[in-house]
Amino acid sequence: MDIALARLVGFSVALVLSVIYTGLFAGAIYTLRNRKNTNISAVIPGALIFMFVLNVVQLCLQAADVYSAFFKFQDTPDGANAYFLNYGSGILPARDAIFWILSVIADALVVSHPISANGKVLTTHPSAIQCWRLYAVWLRNKLVLVVPVTLLIAGL
């Protein structure tokens, strides 16, 4: 598979996943706004909105990259492949920077709040924290933990 086809498939998959992410984002914001317990920190909704905006920007950069490769450079030798092999456009480093920022924010949200009981830290393993938060958000429904706990055990 050449690089142009790989980038086109990658953009298509990213577009589908971004549509799914948009629905999840809307559901999360709706849930946070309609909670009866209003003592939630403004950090979580702010981080969610910032991450959503960065995701949209990254998708737009990827769309601009695909557009440039397949429409602007279609008459050049090697066309889209030559465009994607030239890293001088600045779009790929910008997308990498956005991906790095998204990773740092996501890790900070998960790792910065260790589970504690009576002032003692129980664990700081990110996967365990994610499982706990999932359990707490879903009103202590144990069924929602089947897949994450299986993945946590498989990762050991």
Side-chain angles (χ1 to χ4, degrees):
M1 180 185 317
D2 60 352
I3 192 167
L5 181 59
R7 289 284 183 97
L8 187 60
V9 169
F11 174 68
S12 301
V13 170
L15 189 60
V16 169
L17 293 175
S18 290
V19 168
I20 294 169
Y21 179 63
T22 300
L24 292 172
F25 169 75
I29 295 298
Y30 177 80
T31 302
L32 289 173
R33 288 189 55 156
N34 294 325
R35 286 188 67 148
K36 293 177 183 170
N37 185 3
T38 59
N39 61 357
I40 190 166
S41 171
V43 173
I44 299 295
L48 285 175
I49 292 168
F50 186 64
M51 289 174 71
F52 180 75
V53 168
L54 284 179
N55 182 52
V56 170
V57 169
Q58 184 175 12
L59 189 65
C60 290
L61 287 173
Q62 196 170 1
D65 211 15
V66 168
Y67 173 78
S68 294
F70 287 101
F71 294 104
K72 287 186 177 181
F73 286 83
Q74 67 182 356
D75 297 330
T76 62
D78 286 335
N81 283 326
Y83 174 81
F84 285 127
L85 290 173
N86 178 11
Y87 295 107
S89 70
I91 291 178
L92 188 61
R95 285 180 41 214
D96 288 345
I98 290 172
F99 179 74
W100 182 82
I101 292 168
L102 285 170
S103 298
V104 167
I105 293 170
D107 289 346
L109 287 176
V110 172
V111 178
S112 65
H113 303 290
I115 301 170
S116 62
N118 299 329
K120 295 181 181 178
V121 173
L122 298 177
T123 181
T124 57
H125 192 279
S127 296
I129 294 171
Q130 290 169 345
C131 289
W132 170 255
R133 287 186 178 175
L134 189 65
Y135 178 69
V137 166
W138 283 89
L139 303 174
R140 309 212 187 287
N141 183 355
K142 293 177 185 167
L143 189 60
V144 80
L145 291 175
V146 171
V147 173
V149 169
T150 303
L151 293 174
L152 177 62
I153 293 169
L156 295 177

